Amino acid sequence: MGLDRRAFLGRSAAAGAGVALAGGAVSGEAAVAAPAERAGRPGRERRYAFTVMGTTDLHGNVFNWDYFTDREFDDKARNDVGLAKISTLVKRVRRERGRRNTLLIDAGDTIQGTQLSYYYAKVDPITARRGPVHPMAQAMNAIGYDAAALGNHEFNYGIPVLRKFEEQCDFPLLGANALDAKSLRPAFAPYSMHRLRTPCGRDVRVAVLGLTNPGIAIWDKANVAGRMVFPGLEEQAAKWVPRLRSMGADVVFVSAHSGSSGTSSYGDQLPYVENAAALVARQVPGIDAILVGHAHTEIPEYRVANEETGREVVLSEPLKWGQRLTLFDVDLVWSRGRWTVEKVAAEVLNSNTVEEDPAIVRLLGDEHRKVVAYVNQVIGTSTGAMSTVDAPWKDEPIIDLINHVQSETVKAALAGGEFAALPVLSQASCFSRTARIPAGQVTIKDAAGLYPFENTLEARVLTGAQLKDYLEFSARYYVRTPAGGPVDTAKLTNADGIPDYNYDAVSGVTYEVDVAKPAGERIAKLSFEGKPVDPAARFVLAVNNYRASGGGAFPHVAAAQQVWSNSEEIRNTIIQWVQAKGTVDPAAFASVGWRLTREGVPVF
């Protein structure tokens, strides 16, 4: 399904005319005098201060609840999650600063990530005739968001779901570098403009420029190819920031769904940087602050000097899922007939310091209960318990289950065709170290916790030599560990910050990973059916669409021949497989296909 042309043209025209003005924040009644101690008194130098609050990577979290375990969220750091907690913090800040001296924005990845968000995209979809209002829209409207940038995961469920969510929001979804593929005009509002009234001089005009991630073109190719394109953040910021200044913006904020590291996870497939927020600050003059998203890291305050002006740009990234709320405090002074930014400072507030807002709990209690009932549906039984506790360093049955289901699905799809004779291998990652399949009844939440992402399944053809390269790249995940000494599993994985989801275990072949050797020289005894893998041999790899589209920058797979693909989420494929089998028996699929070694000696 393509873009809604009428909605697209309306948005584009508005954006091009510079009238992407956000909600109530643009009207005179949306601003009141700042407290005297912040704004200044008659006869003194005229000053004004306001606060911009920010969240990012909410990923469908309204409540402090983990639907994959069906209990209150908890982690080792005792963090809490969810918009109900954020709402309490926001109300406190508004009381302290004055409601009309604040703005609230978000940096994207809003409608994917929990079973709550999945339920209203797939089970009881918001796109249905007389469908429900998305819980994230309800919560963010109630809290009073002023603007939100688009995240890459906004596109996971397709453009119709995103457009319906956009329609349900009382605030604009911003994406200056999300362009219609044919006209190259903005497919969403590029910016929003907000007017804050002061007691001493002209109103302060605050522009918020939204930038999203160019990796969308790869990660969600199936949803956006031929419909939208996503040029680089620096390029589009350089285009829009001068326009916003010429339109009278006194303060320019950027809400960027892009980390600050300057790195990319999709290799050379796009000529743009994935984590470009610091580059934008450094290269584009005229920006005062950037709310950073996408990287799932906590950056209370990070200052970057602009190369042209020398002025510092303040960046901040609050921790994901509503665990933190960023506060940008902006001080201005009236000088030469205009407001000038004198100082910007940033900090983060921890949501575990407050209780959930009862108003949000009441608002979405029914939706929460529906989803709890859904995830607790029994889909089968298991003859034994399985968990991912040791999966990052051992070949565990629970990961074998993913690979087994994927391999069987691809084999059935290729049966009787041109590629039916090729051996089918499969890749899977440990997405969560707390996933488990219990002995006895297996529920939807158990399967969902094993595969929390909305990835779909593909089949690509690789040679034996390419497979070896693929495995070597994956094995970079381990910290080089000399032979002879003890092994501390807490220090063994995630070398150079590689996340668990970018370590792939491949089934259908056997191999060793020698962690005593340098990266690139670790794969040994790579065999198929007991014989060394022929570099020229051909295999079909069952692979998720994120990896197949270049996610993680694994070699060869993105350019490999695609022989099959499926639109069904892998998670649902696992659920349906369990329902069809009735009983999950690890003895039917579990095996030790790979192991860690040091100089040929097994680590475990």
Side-chain angles (χ1 to χ4, degrees):
M1 181 175 178
L3 289 171
D4 181 331
R5 296 299 300 168
R6 182 173 58 183
F8 164 71
L9 292 172
R11 290 187 189 91
S12 297
V19 294
L21 302 177
V26 298
S27 67
E29 64 186 25
V32 298
E37 64 270 18
R38 288 172 62 80
R41 297 184 177 87
R44 297 186 178 184
E45 187 177 42
R46 288 182 290 182
R47 295 180 177 276
Y48 177 70
F50 70 95
T51 298
V52 175
M53 298 173 282
T55 56
T56 191
D57 296 278
L58 293 168
H59 282 288
N61 286 281
V62 172
F63 300 110
N64 188 41
W65 196 260
D66 184 346
Y67 294 96
F68 297 130
T69 61
D70 194 28
R71 60 175 179 262
E72 184 174 321
F73 176 87
D74 199 12
D75 64 11
K76 292 179 180 178
R78 310 300 295 175
N79 287 306
D80 288 344
V81 302
L83 279 169
K85 292 264 183 174
I86 291 295
S87 182
T88 301
L89 288 175
V90 167
K91 286 182 175 179
R92 190 179 78 188
V93 173
R94 285 171 174 164
R95 285 195 302 269
E96 293 171 352
R97 266 67 164 184
R99 171 67 175 86
R100 306 297 175 85
N101 303 312
T102 65
L103 295 171
L104 176 60
I105 64 177
D106 183 79
D109 275 6
T110 304
I111 59 171
Q112 176 276 337
T114 65
Q115 286 294 284
L116 179 72
S117 54
Y118 178 82
Y119 186 88
Y120 287 98
K122 292 288 191 176
V123 181
D124 186 10
I126 61 174
T127 50
R129 188 167 179 261
R130 297 181 181 176
V133 177
H134 199 289
M136 294 300 288
Q138 291 191 61
M140 295 174 81
N141 290 342
I143 295 169
Y145 274 77
D146 294 288
L150 293 163
N152 54 285
H153 284 289
E154 258 66 84
F155 294 85
N156 285 174
Y157 296 120
I159 291 172
V161 170
L162 174 54
R163 286 301 191 194
K164 188 63 178 181
F165 174 71
E166 179 187 27
E167 177 187 314
Q168 293 176 342
C169 290
D170 294 339
F171 51 91
L173 300 183
L174 308 178
N177 61 328
L179 310 180
D180 176 75
K182 294 181 180 178
S183 69
L184 298 183
R185 297 176 66 190
F188 296 84
Y191 66 90
S192 58
M193 191 74 78
H194 309 263
R195 185 178 293 119
L196 303 177
R197 182 170 294 171
T198 76
C200 47
R202 194 189 69 187
D203 295 348
V204 172
R205 291 173 65 87
V206 183
V208 179
L209 178 68
L211 297 170
T212 192
N213 206 286
I216 295 166
I218 291 176
W219 305 321
D220 269 299
K221 182 178 180 180
N223 292 326
V224 301
R227 302 173 186 177
M228 294 185 192
V229 293
F230 301 87
L233 283 81
E234 308 100 302
E235 169 193 323
Q236 293 301 303
K239 173 182 176 180
W240 283 101
V241 171
R243 293 189 186 184
L244 296 175
R245 289 294 184 181
S246 69
M247 289 161 52
D250 302 295
V251 185
V252 174
F253 267 78
V254 172
S255 183
H257 193 75
S258 179
S260 62
S261 66
T263 61
S264 291
S265 67
Y266 43 72
D268 58 0
Q269 295 179 74
L270 278 178
Y272 311 121
V273 177
E274 176 183 350
N275 296 300
L279 296 176
V280 171
R282 192 171 294 117
Q283 297 177 12
V284 181
I287 297 169
D288 295 297
I290 301 179
L291 176 65
V292 178
H294 183 61
H296 290 201
T297 59
E298 182 176 345
I299 305 174
E301 183 184 81
Y302 174 38
R303 294 178 177 270
V304 175
N306 182 264
E307 293 173 346
E308 181 175 326
T309 66
R311 289 194 60 196
E312 284 190 333
V313 181
V314 177
L315 288 73
S316 181
E317 181 175 4
L319 200 57
K320 64 185 185 299
W321 305 346
Q323 295 178 49
R324 304 288 187 274
L325 175 71
T326 279
L327 303 186
F328 292 99
D329 287 318
V330 184
D331 293 339
L332 301 99
V333 61
W334 181 264
S335 176
R336 299 180 180 179
R338 59 170 296 183
W339 288 108
T340 302
V341 174
E342 185 176 57
K343 183 177 68 173
V344 180
E347 62 176 318
V348 295
L349 304 182
N350 194 328
S351 67
N352 72 5
T353 63
V354 297
E355 298 297 319
E356 292 186 326
D357 183 350
I360 302 300
V361 174
R362 287 193 300 270
L363 178 67
L364 291 164
D366 287 346
E367 287 82 350
H368 172 69
R369 286 185 286 271
K370 283 182 182 178
V371 176
V372 168
Y374 165 73
V375 300
N376 280 289
Q377 292 180 37
V378 175
I379 56 175
T381 60
S382 177
T383 62
M386 297 177 283
S387 84
T388 56
V389 172
D390 294 329
W393 47 84
K394 291 182 182 179
D395 187 350
E396 289 288 286
I398 197 167
I399 304 299
D400 291 337
L401 173 60
I402 299 174
N403 276 326
H404 182 68
V405 172
Q406 292 182 164
S407 296
E408 281 203 347
T409 302
V410 169
K411 287 177 183 176
L414 298 180
E418 177 184 358
F419 302 95
L422 292 183
V424 175
L425 315 180
S426 178
Q427 62 80 221
S429 303
C430 176
F431 294 118
S432 167
R433 297 193 183 193
T434 59
R436 59 185 295 272
I437 300 292
Q441 291 186 336
V442 178
T443 63
I444 285 177
K445 73 172 182 282
D446 299 323
L450 177 59
Y451 213 111
F453 296 105
E454 273 71 53
N455 293 339
T456 57
L457 188 60
E458 297 188 16
R460 301 278 178 127
V461 177
L462 295 181
T463 67
Q466 291 173 331
L467 175 64
K468 174 76 156 40
D469 290 345
Y470 188 100
L471 292 171
E472 288 285 9
F473 186 87
S474 182
R476 301 174 311 129
Y477 169 76
Y478 294 106
V479 175
R480 190 174 184 181
T481 307
V487 175
D488 182 356
T489 55
K491 299 177 181 179
L492 179 62
T493 63
N494 308 101
D496 298 320
I498 297 171
D500 292 347
Y501 62 76
N502 273 343
Y503 173 67
D504 286 358
V506 174
S507 71
V509 289
T510 59
Y511 57 96
E512 295 179 355
V513 182
D514 193 329
V515 295
K517 292 185 177 180
E521 303 175 16
R522 292 178 170 175
I523 301 302
K525 299 181 181 179
L526 177 58
S527 302
F528 173 70
E529 294 184 343
K531 298 179 181 179
V533 167
D534 181 349
R538 294 202 305 162
F539 299 90
V540 172
L541 180 67
V543 58
N544 69 54
N545 69 301
Y546 172 77
R547 188 71 77 236
S549 63
F554 277 60
H556 307 304
V557 66
Q561 181 183 9
Q562 182 194 78
V563 296
W564 178 79
S565 66
N566 189 14
S567 61
E568 185 72 74
E569 290 96 347
I570 293 170
R571 175 174 57 217
N572 282 347
T573 301
I574 295 171
I575 290 170
Q576 291 162 9
W577 185 90
V578 174
Q579 287 175 321
K581 295 292 183 181
T583 300
V584 178
D585 183 3
F589 53 79
S591 64
V592 179
W594 63 272
R595 58 167 46 91
L596 300 187
T597 62
R598 289 183 297 177
E599 297 182 357
V601 178
V603 175
F604 304 106

